[in-house]
Structure formats: C-alpha cells, structure tokens
C-alpha cells in the first residue's frame, strides 16, 4: 500500500495555526506520546486484517513490460509464468520503428483479483538503424507517469479507483549468444534504469550449455556494472525475505526457458520442451531459472516492485517534472518554501514577464503603425504625383481636341458658306434658264413657222 497522510498531523497543523512542517509536528507528537498498557482487548490489532481485506476487495494491478528482440520467447514466457494463454497471433516485424502494444487482462487466483497489463515492445531490434529503438519505450513509460501525475494534481482526484498503468517491472530479454551484451541492450537498459525496475533475463536458455551460461551470466553482470546500468535488486531489508532475496540477487540474470507444452514425466504433467536428445523441464531448477524468476517476480516481490515504482521511479519523474515547472521545496536561502509561496512567486514572475511581453508588443505595434503610416504617406504622395501628371496630360489632350474642334468648326462654316453661295448661284442659273424657255415658247406661239429645236 502507498503511504497515506496521517490525519492527526493534519488536524494539529490546522488547529495550531502554525506553519511548522508536518514532519516536525509528527516528531513532536511521537516524542510527547506516553506509553500506556491496555486492561482489556480493544480491537485495533485487527488493523492489518482490515488492510488485507480492503486490498483484497479492491484487487491489485501489476504491469509488466517485455523488452527484447523478435522471437526471443517473450509471449511464451508470459504464458508460462501465468499458466494461461494471453495473446493470439505473433506481431508483425516489418515496421519502420518500435511500437508499444499493451494488453490488459483480469486474472483471479483464490479470491484475489489481479489486473494485469502486459506491454510489448513490438519490432524491437528489427530495424537496420537501431539508434532510436529505446525512444518509444521511454516515451510510453513517461506517458504513464504523466497520466498519474495529472490525476494527482487534479482538484477532484479519484486515485482510489484510478487505473494505474505505470510499469512495475521491465523484463529485459537478452539473446542467448554466450558472448556479451549487444550495444542495443546496453543503451536501452541505461535509458530505462531510472524509470523502471529492470530484471534482466537470458531468453531461450536451453540453447546454451551449462558452463557457457555461467560465464555468460558473469560477463553480462560485469558489463552492466561497468556501464553503470542499475538493475532491480530484490530487497533484503525485510528479514523474512532477506535470505532468499539475497541469494537470488546472486543468480541474476535469470536464464529462463518457456513452454506451454505439457509432457508426462513420471506420473506428472510438466511444462517442458522436448528435443531429440532429451527434455528440458521448465520448472526444474537444474534445467533453468524459470522457477526462480516466478518466485521473485510474483510470489515474493510483486508488492515491492509496485512500491519501488511509486516511491522511487514515479517520485523521480514527479520531482523532475515539478522542478521543470518551477516548483521548489526551499528558497535560495535554503528556507522551506511552501507550494503557496512557490505559486505566488511563479505567478508574479509570470505576470512580470507578461507585462514585459505586453510592453514589447505595444512598442512593436507602435513602430509597425509608424512604418505603415510612412509607407502609406509615400504611396499617397506617389498617387498625387501620378494624378497631377495624368491631369496635366488630360488638359493638354483636351486643349488639343478643342483646337481641332475649332478648326473643324471653321472648316464646316466655310463649307456651309461655300455651299450657300453655290446654291444661290444654282438657283439664279435655274431662274434665267426658265425665263429663256418661256421667252422661246412665247416666240413660237407668235410665229408657228419657226421650227422647234
Ligand atoms: P515476438 O512477439 O514476435 O517478438 O516473439 P516473442 O518474443 O513473443 O517469441 P514467441 O514467444 O512467439 O516465441 C518465438 C519462438 O520461440 C516460438 O517458436 C517458441 O516456441 C520459441 N520459444 C519460446 N520460448 C523458448 C525457449 O525458452 N527456448 C526455445 N528453444 N525456444 C523457445
Ligand atoms: Mg510475442
């Protein structure tokens, strides 16, 4: 269970009106407490049972991330570990990059319900350029932390029924080469070690001989140490599991074999892999470390893995994220700095910056307006000049046309005068012609012997 705030400490803070840190108040409270013995049974010794009942009622969640190259037996191992069949078809491995596939399952054992997520890094190691292979895995882990942080920061939180998708363990599958770790493995584990509990495992351990396996394990561990990769250590602070966990830490990385095939050995059905030369029993500790892995991962340390995820990895993510946002626990003089003060300081800083930005924008605006104004003035002047030029051109043209019109009018008038004179002459000529005709007519009448023309 994750730590919950102590109600008494909170009340004391409120009633005393003091700004004393909660830890200090708690210390004073415990120092000032008197030891009393009870004269009869009260019942608060049932607290652990109450806690167990509540947890059983709520159910548990556990999220496993499987990282390893294609075909290393990740899905088979998951099926073997949980004694069931999870996904159907194998993933496609011709993608340009690594992508994350998450499947959720609900399992029940006795009366305990487990929400299990199995997250797979599909296509890991399939690309020619493997430089960015770790990226999508890191982003996925961070995204789950971020979702939890956002839920925590909400005013109305529902953490009690929040579906926690943070990765509790990363099973890192190492190829059974017998040589050394690939640089892809080292780089990926280095990128992941501050974000998730890594348990390295040698996959398909049946393909490596006993002597070689021992040497391979030593080589892997020394490479991890020399490269500063921090893998998950089974906790030894709880004395009930200290011995077994201590022993198991020395067995890392576990060399595992997975199989869902059951074979009759003696009068028992056992998970095994059959070969022409013999049978590898998955649950036989002389054959592989599968049982050790199952013990450590599920039966002994599942709760510690969940707790480490919350108290170590998530806490680190949260701290970095809040510091990135400008929140601090102490001021520059190393004095405690409350969230309220940080908020106020951040707000003032933000307002100051906003004002500065506003002023800058205003100045920029004024400058741009001035620039635009002068541009417009320039354009207006150009337009005026153009208008004047056109006006003058128009006037000249008009004058030319008027002159032409005047000369044409003069010509018309002259023509009209000539026309009138011609018409006059013509009518005069017609008049004299008709008079002569009349005269001749008269003469003919008077002298009929005159022959007509
Ligand atoms: P992808 O999801 O495609 O990356 O593959 P995977 O890593 O999930 O491997 P999967 O479990 O599909 O197994 C691939 C092949 O390896 C299958 O033929 C399995 O039967 C075989 N296999 C699985 N575990 C072991 C093992 O421990 N030893 C040997 N020799 N073969 C195994
Ligand atoms: Mg698979």
């Amino acid at each position: 269970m994750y730590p919950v705030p102590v109600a008494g400490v909170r009340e004391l803070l409120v009633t005393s009106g003091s700004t004393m840190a909660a830890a200090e108040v708690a210390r004073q409270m415990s120092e000032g407490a008197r030891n009393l013995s009870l004269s009869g049974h009260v019942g608060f010794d049932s607290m652990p049972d109450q806690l167990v009942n509540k947890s059983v009622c709520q159910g548990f969640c556990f999220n496993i991330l499987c990282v390893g190259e294609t075909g290393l037996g990740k899905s088979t191992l998951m099926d073997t570990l949980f004694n069931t069949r999870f996904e159907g078809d194998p993933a496609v491995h011709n993608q340009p990059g690594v992508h994350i596939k998450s499947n959720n399952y609900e399992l029940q054992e006795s009366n305990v319900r487990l929400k299990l997520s199995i997250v797979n890094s599909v296509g890991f190691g399939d690309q020619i350029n493997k430089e960015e292979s770790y990226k999508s895995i890191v982003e996925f882990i961070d995204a789950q932390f971020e979702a939890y942080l956002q839920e925590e920061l909400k005013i109305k939180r529902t953490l009690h029924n929040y579906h926690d998708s943070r990765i509790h363990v990363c099973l890192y599958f190492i190829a059974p080469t017998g040589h050394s770790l690939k640089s892809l493995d080292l780089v990926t584990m280095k990128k992941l070690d501050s974000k998730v509990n890594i348990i390295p495992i040698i996959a398909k351990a049946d393909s490596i001989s006993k002597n070689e396996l021992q040497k391979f394990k030593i080589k892997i561990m020394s490479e991890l140490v020399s490269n500063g990769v921090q893998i998950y250590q089974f906790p030894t602070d709880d004395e009930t599991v200290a011995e077994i966990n201590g022993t198991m830490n020395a067995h890392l990385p576990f060399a595992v074999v997975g199989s869902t095939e059951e074979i009759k050995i003696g009068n028992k059905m056992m998970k095994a892999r059959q070969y022409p030369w013999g049978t590898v029993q998955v649950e036989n500790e002389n054959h592989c470390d599968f049982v050790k892995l199952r013990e450590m991962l599920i039966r002994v340390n599942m709760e510690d893995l969940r707790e480490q995820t919350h108290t170590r990895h998530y806490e680190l993510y949260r701290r970095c994220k809040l510091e990135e946002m400008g929140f601090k626990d102490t001021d520059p003089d190393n004095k405690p700095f409350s969230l309220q003060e940080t908020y106020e300081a951040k707000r003032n800083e933000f307002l100051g910056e906003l004002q500065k930005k506003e002023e800058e924008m205003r100045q920029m605006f004024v400058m741009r307006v001035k620039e635009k104004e002068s541009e417009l003035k320039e354009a207006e002047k150009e337009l005026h000049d153009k208008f004047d030029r056109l006006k003058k051109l128009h006037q000249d043209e008009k004058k030319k046309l008027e002159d032409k019109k005047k000369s044409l009018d003069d010509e018309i008038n002259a023509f009209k005068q000539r026309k009138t004179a011609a018409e006059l002459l013509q009518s005069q000529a017609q008049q004299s012609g008709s008079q002569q005709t009349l005269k001749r007519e008269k003469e003919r009448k008077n002298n009929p012997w005159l022959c007509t023309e």
Side-chain angles (χ1 to χ4, degrees), residues 142-274:
D142 280 348
Q144 313 319 306
F145 283 149
E146 184 61 30
Y148 192 86
L149 180 64
Q150 288 308 321
E151 187 59 36
E152 259 192 353
L153 294 176
K154 272 187 189 169
I155 304 285
K156 259 187 167 176
R157 300 187 293 181
T158 49
L159 284 171
H160 59 284
N161 61 1
Y162 174 78
H163 174 74
D164 191 359
S165 56
R166 293 172 299 174
I167 299 296
H168 298 118
V169 66
C170 164
L171 293 182
Y172 197 96
F173 289 70
I174 299 164
T177 57
H179 291 285
S180 55
L181 282 171
K182 297 180 184 176
S183 38
L184 171 68
D185 298 329
L186 276 172
V187 169
T188 309
M189 281 197 255
K190 185 84 199 117
K191 293 282 178 192
L192 295 182
D193 71 352
S194 60
K195 296 179 180 292
V196 68
N197 302 310
I198 301 176
I199 300 183
I201 53 182
I202 300 169
K204 298 190 176 179
D206 51 336
S207 60
I208 189 166
S209 78
K210 203 170 176 178
N211 282 341
E212 276 178 348
L213 184 65
Q214 263 334 97
K215 284 185 201 146
F216 191 36
K217 277 190 175 190
I218 294 167
K219 183 98 199 238
I220 290 172
M221 288 314 282
S222 78
E223 277 189 339
L224 289 176
V225 171
S226 61
N227 284 284
V229 178
Q230 292 255 315
I231 58 165
Y232 174 72
Q233 291 292 306
F234 304 116
T236 47
D237 41 6
D238 175 357
E239 58 189 39
T240 55
V241 290
E243 198 186 329
I244 183 170
N245 277 354
T247 320
M248 291 299 160
N249 277 330
H251 274 95
L252 283 169
F254 294 135
V256 295
V257 174
S259 175
T260 45
E261 201 184 322
E262 296 218 329
I263 294 161
K264 197 162 186 182
I265 296 170
N267 51 4
K268 259 186 159 183
M269 292 303 282
M270 296 215 176
K271 288 203 174 65
R273 297 189 79 84
Q274 262 185 314

Side-chain angles (χ1 to χ4, degrees), residues 17 65 226 288 352 411:
L65 168 68
S226 61
C288 73
E411 268 179 43

Side-chain angles (χ1 to χ4, degrees), residues 367-381:
M367 216 171 77
R368 293 288 286 271
V369 167
K370 275 186 186 158
E371 272 174 21
K372 260 280 158 305
E373 256 177 19
S374 73
E375 269 174 31
L376 280 173
K377 268 188 191 152
E378 195 81 4
E380 196 184 352
K381 192 172 166 294

Side-chain angles (χ1 to χ4, degrees), residues 394-405:
H394 172 73
Q395 277 171 352
D396 290 351
E397 203 72 17
K398 195 177 162 193
K399 194 164 174 307
K400 265 189 213 162
L401 284 172
E402 275 171 0
D403 289 349
K404 204 165 187 172
K405 186 176 174 258

